[in-house]
Amino acid sequence: MSKETIAVKAKEVEEVAEQLKNSVSAIVVDYRGLTVEEVTDLRKQLREAGVKMRVIKNKIMVRAAEKAGYDDLKPVFAGPTAVAFSEEDPVAPAKILANFAKTAEALELKGGMIEGKVASLETVQEYATMPSREELLATIANLLQAPVRNVAYAVKAVAEKGDEDAA
């Protein structure tokens, strides 16, 4: 291998290692057997959630995982590998990929890294069933609004009862 090729690969390892370090989650999948339309649809869903999916050579991923401190992640880098990186929502990649795998049986989740820890396939599937950040925030907002709403209904009922008694 020429020095230029080695330099290019070393740079790619550095970039992927940095992407792993900056991500809150990175889910590894085997995409073999997906049609072009399915891959396009999957990438669109991931992009809408702020998730980037890359197809990366396994040797590059192994070296990047070592460099980023995720040595236990190396066994999942076998066969055709794509990695979905999220820098914001740790649940989004797992949720989108697991839901997509229900309809596209060719997509196989392998494992990954979630919030700085290597995650097994089972852990990734558990995260996939968790509500997203937006769903949690909506639930909290509803919980906070409920007491105020109940007080407003009570005040309104008392006011209406007072109007009835005055008449």
Side-chain angles (χ1 to χ4, degrees), residues 47-165:
R47 193 172 32 255
E48 287 172 355
V51 179
K52 297 174 186 156
M53 187 170 100
R54 291 180 59 186
V55 175
I56 305 168
K57 290 184 177 182
N58 290 327
K59 284 192 177 198
I60 301 287
M61 281 306 308
V62 166
R63 290 187 177 126
E66 285 174 356
K67 193 168 194 78
Y70 297 111
D71 289 343
D72 294 342
L73 197 56
K74 293 190 289 187
V76 299
F77 302 123
T81 301
V83 184
F85 296 96
S86 176
E87 294 182 3
E88 297 170 13
D89 187 354
V91 177
K95 189 178 231 27
I96 293 167
L97 291 166
N99 285 338
F100 195 84
K102 290 176 186 173
T103 57
E105 294 176 14
L107 185 71
E108 178 189 338
L109 280 80
K110 294 178 169 183
M113 176 278 293
I114 300 174
E115 295 183 325
K117 296 182 180 130
V118 174
S120 66
L121 175 60
E122 293 78 24
T123 304
V124 170
Q125 289 172 333
E126 286 176 20
Y127 268 77
T129 61
M130 293 174 69
S132 69
R133 182 177 186 275
E134 288 75 25
E135 291 168 336
L136 288 172
L137 289 174
T139 302
I140 290 171
N142 284 334
L143 289 173
L144 293 174
Q145 287 178 346
V148 174
R149 192 178 319 119
N150 291 341
V151 168
Y153 287 140
V155 169
K156 182 179 176 187
V158 169
E160 288 174 355
K161 184 169 173 127
D163 289 343
E164 288 174 10
D165 290 342

Side-chain angles (χ1 to χ4, degrees), residues 14-68:
E14 195 65 42
E15 288 173 1
V16 174
E18 197 60 35
Q19 194 167 19
L20 271 170
K21 289 176 187 175
N22 293 335
S23 297
V24 290
S25 67
I27 307 301
V28 182
V29 296
D30 181 344
Y31 62 93
R32 180 180 25 208
L34 291 180
T35 65
V36 173
E37 292 82 20
E38 288 173 327
V39 172
T40 303
D41 183 36
L42 176 59
R43 284 184 183 270
K44 180 178 179 260
Q45 289 179 35
L46 291 167
R47 193 172 32 255
E48 287 172 355
V51 179
K52 297 174 186 156
M53 187 170 100
R54 291 180 59 186
V55 175
I56 305 168
K57 290 184 177 182
N58 290 327
K59 284 192 177 198
I60 301 287
M61 281 306 308
V62 166
R63 290 187 177 126
E66 285 174 356
K67 193 168 194 78

